Amino acid sequence: MTAAAKVPSEATGLTREVAEFVHGIRQGDLPAVVVENGKKSILDGLGLALSGSVAKSGEYVRHHLDDIGAVNGTATVIGTDRKVPPRFAAFANGVGIHADDYDDTQLAVAKDRVYGLLTHPTAPALPSALAMGETLGASGADVMLAYHIGVEVECKIAEAINPRHYQTGFHATATCGTYASAAAAGRLMGLNVEQLLRALSIAGSQSAGLRENFGTMTKPFHAGRSSESGVAAAQFASYGWTAAPTILEAPRGFFSAAGGGYDENAISGKLGNPWTFDSPGISIKPHPSGSLTHPGMTEMLRLIKENGIKASDVEHVRIGTNHNMPNALIHHRPQNELQAKFSMQFCMAILLLEGRAGLNEFTDEVVLRDDVKAMIAKVDFVVDERAEAAGYHLMTTYIDIKLKDGRTISGMADFGKGSPANPMSYDEVATKFLECAEFARWDMGRAREVVGMVAEFEKLADIRKLMALVSN
């Protein structure tokens, strides 16, 4: 436990503070920068749900929906012609958004918090807001506010819990994301503070997900399940289902059981003050791989372009980071595309070979190519004392490329493209969205309509108009 962390006490009323925030915030409380940054992540999430719908996991999700008889519902499974009950749409779309590990990531504030390893905020929050908003015929403004509320709750809880939570195996997108979904759905349903307290508590008892499953379909399952669980929690709370009122701070509650403590100063008084979308910001991914690879990938691309490096020139590559990064990027010799997303070696190798790393590069066929395996063997991924000293709130990555002519080309980066330090514009996110839509073989005319509609999201009279564009 850090010096700032504390053992929870039932007297703090922290869960109530969260519930009051969810209930009390208004559209006018959203700063303009938060609204505009949120639109980028909403567009990003919709595109990823489209591309995720054609992943193998999307096929299995639809098989599951058939098995449980999830039909004749009110909420869209994006990329399909299916309407299912809202909790199952939240599940399907949460899996879809996270299927390619291409979705946005929360940044850390405190130096003991692992940058890029807190949570993926949109994957649990947006499907919940869309599913409940579509079911209720809510406006774009109401859905946007619910989404922002969910993201804010998720991110501040992730920032507050003792870092042991993630370091020893919990996946924060799965655990903290459940609260995000409950908050977003509960707000749209008009739950009062007491009902929201119960919804958060029910969500807490469904909060689960382990990092050992990184590199498998179960990682995106985490995002879908957390979104589904939050919707179910809000629904049960609306029925009158009872639950403890102090699920976050109680001695047997979430912070204690899942982290051994928390930093009250990271959450109490900080909800919407500032909004996470304003500071420290949310990072949007330029590549469909773990966010910890992105500073190195951004720097590797720069070095390749500026020095004209060819794969045939390379003798050896050294990648140095802090020790938390190899603890997450665990697949050093990946055997499939899901493992490759958590392989620094693959990410560096494919850039050297192809000069790009998009959805078409992260396939089983590419991962198993002989030239890819040979290049991976040339990449060492090690702990670097300089990166360790920089602090875990950074993703400091050192690169040394030894060439066959005897030269060594070196570089360093703390942040990657898409981070608040090097952000994507709305137009750049729109380009990514259209690439995802094309990958899903989606009608590009409709895809361009989505880009324009999300740009004016708050003006939508009924969210169903948008959902019709992303369903068959």
Side-chain angles (χ1 to χ4, degrees):
M1 185 181 302
T2 66
K6 63 177 286 184
V7 175
S9 164
E10 291 185 3
T12 61
L14 189 60
T15 310
R16 180 170 291 276
E17 182 176 341
V18 175
E20 289 175 348
F21 168 79
V22 175
H23 183 262
I25 207 75
R26 296 292 178 262
Q27 188 71 33
D29 297 324
L30 291 176
V33 66
V34 171
V35 171
E36 294 310 309
N37 285 339
K39 288 177 182 178
K40 290 191 286 187
S41 280
I42 290 169
L43 181 63
D44 192 48
L46 289 169
L48 296 170
L50 284 174
S51 60
S53 72
V54 300
K56 194 68 175 179
S57 56
E59 176 187 335
Y60 293 157
V61 165
R62 293 188 291 275
H63 187 89
H64 175 66
L65 295 176
D66 290 339
D67 277 352
I68 63 175
V71 295
N72 300 323
T74 54
T76 295
V77 176
I78 294 172
T80 77
D81 60 357
R82 295 170 182 253
K83 297 278 191 180
V84 299
R87 64 179 291 179
F88 300 121
F91 171 71
N93 294 330
V95 172
I97 289 174
H98 202 46
D100 291 304
D101 221 284
Y102 207 1
D103 48 320
D104 59 7
T105 54
Q106 177 192 1
L107 314 186
V109 177
K111 287 191 175 184
D112 65 345
R113 311 280 157 175
V114 183
Y115 183 107
L117 292 186
L118 291 180
T119 185
H120 293 269
T122 292
L126 183 61
S128 172
L130 292 176
M132 193 54 67
E134 186 178 9
T135 295
L136 298 173
S139 68
D142 286 342
V143 170
M144 175 183 283
L145 181 58
Y147 163 73
H148 276 293
I149 288 170
V151 167
E152 186 68 1
V153 167
E154 178 181 357
C155 289
K156 289 302 197 295
I157 289 175
E159 187 73 52
I161 195 168
N162 191 308
R164 190 204 80 185
H165 177 69
Y166 192 95
Q167 290 167 344
T168 57
F170 281 106
H171 182 201
T173 302
T175 56
C176 303
T178 310
Y179 296 101
S181 175
R187 173 58 188 242
L188 283 165
M189 292 168 65
L191 301 188
N192 62 34
V193 171
E194 299 306 317
Q195 291 171 317
L196 287 166
L197 273 174
R198 296 199 300 271
L200 292 168
S201 188
I202 298 165
S205 277
Q206 300 180 91
S207 176
L210 299 171
R211 290 199 297 117
E212 183 62 25
N213 275 309
F214 280 20
T216 75
M217 292 180 186
T218 302
K219 187 172 190 280
F221 179 90
H222 290 168
R225 191 66 170 179
S226 65
S227 196
E228 177 193 353
S229 295
V231 171
Q235 290 175 320
F236 272 91
S238 74
Y239 308 151
W241 202 270
T242 62
T246 54
I247 199 64
L248 292 175
E249 69 272 21
R252 293 166 298 278
F254 177 70
F255 284 139
S256 180
Y262 70 107
D263 179 359
E264 184 174 13
N265 294 325
I267 183 169
S268 184
K270 297 294 177 63
L271 290 160
N273 182 36
W275 289 84
T276 301
F277 261 115
D278 183 12
S279 178
I282 303 292
S283 184
I284 293 179
K285 289 186 175 185
H287 308 289
S289 56
S291 60
L292 294 179
T293 65
H294 291 175
M297 295 177 80
T298 299
E299 182 64 5
M300 177 62 83
L301 277 173
R302 185 187 72 82
L303 294 174
I304 290 170
K305 291 175 182 178
E306 290 188 2
N307 296 278
I309 298 172
K310 299 178 181 178
S312 58
D313 299 333
V314 176
E315 181 175 316
H316 179 262
V317 179
R318 179 188 183 274
I319 308 296
T321 68
N322 71 57
H323 80 275
N324 282 303
M325 293 170 69
N327 190 35
L329 304 174
I330 58 178
H331 295 288
H332 307 301
R333 296 292 184 270
Q335 298 302 307
N336 56 58
E337 59 99 1
L338 291 173
Q339 291 181 359
K341 294 175 183 297
F342 297 91
S343 172
M344 182 70 86
Q345 292 90 334
F346 173 83
C347 291
M348 296 296 106
I350 200 64
L351 289 176
L352 286 163
L353 287 163
E354 303 291 350
R356 62 184 182 273
L359 290 168
N360 290 314
E361 283 67 54
F362 283 85
T363 67
D364 290 353
E365 292 75 17
V366 171
V367 172
L368 296 174
R369 274 174 20 195
D370 289 341
D371 62 332
V372 173
K373 291 180 179 180
M375 185 60 73
I376 284 173
K378 296 181 179 182
V379 181
D380 283 339
F381 182 26
V382 301
V383 175
D384 190 293
E385 291 182 0
R386 296 167 296 175
E388 194 80 3
Y392 304 142
H393 63 306
L394 302 176
M395 295 189 285
T396 304
T397 304
Y398 287 89
I399 299 176
D400 296 294
I401 308 168
K402 185 178 179 181
L403 302 179
K404 292 176 181 178
D405 64 8
R407 290 181 297 151
T408 296
I409 306 296
S410 299
M412 184 276 285
D414 290 325
F415 305 101
K417 178 64 177 176
S419 72
N422 186 10
M424 287 188 184
S425 66
Y426 187 83
D427 287 344
E428 287 175 319
V429 176
T431 297
K432 176 183 171 181
F433 170 85
L434 293 173
E435 288 173 352
C436 289
E438 184 176 24
F439 185 81
R441 299 178 292 280
W442 203 249
D443 179 84
M444 297 308 289
R446 295 172 69 188
R448 292 186 183 91
E449 282 190 66
V450 173
V451 171
M453 197 172 290
V454 174
E456 298 185 326
F457 198 88
E458 69 275 30
K459 297 180 182 179
L460 272 174
D462 190 328
I463 194 66
R464 293 166 182 162
K465 185 176 180 182
L466 173 65
M467 300 311 292
L469 290 175
V470 291
S471 61
N472 281 325

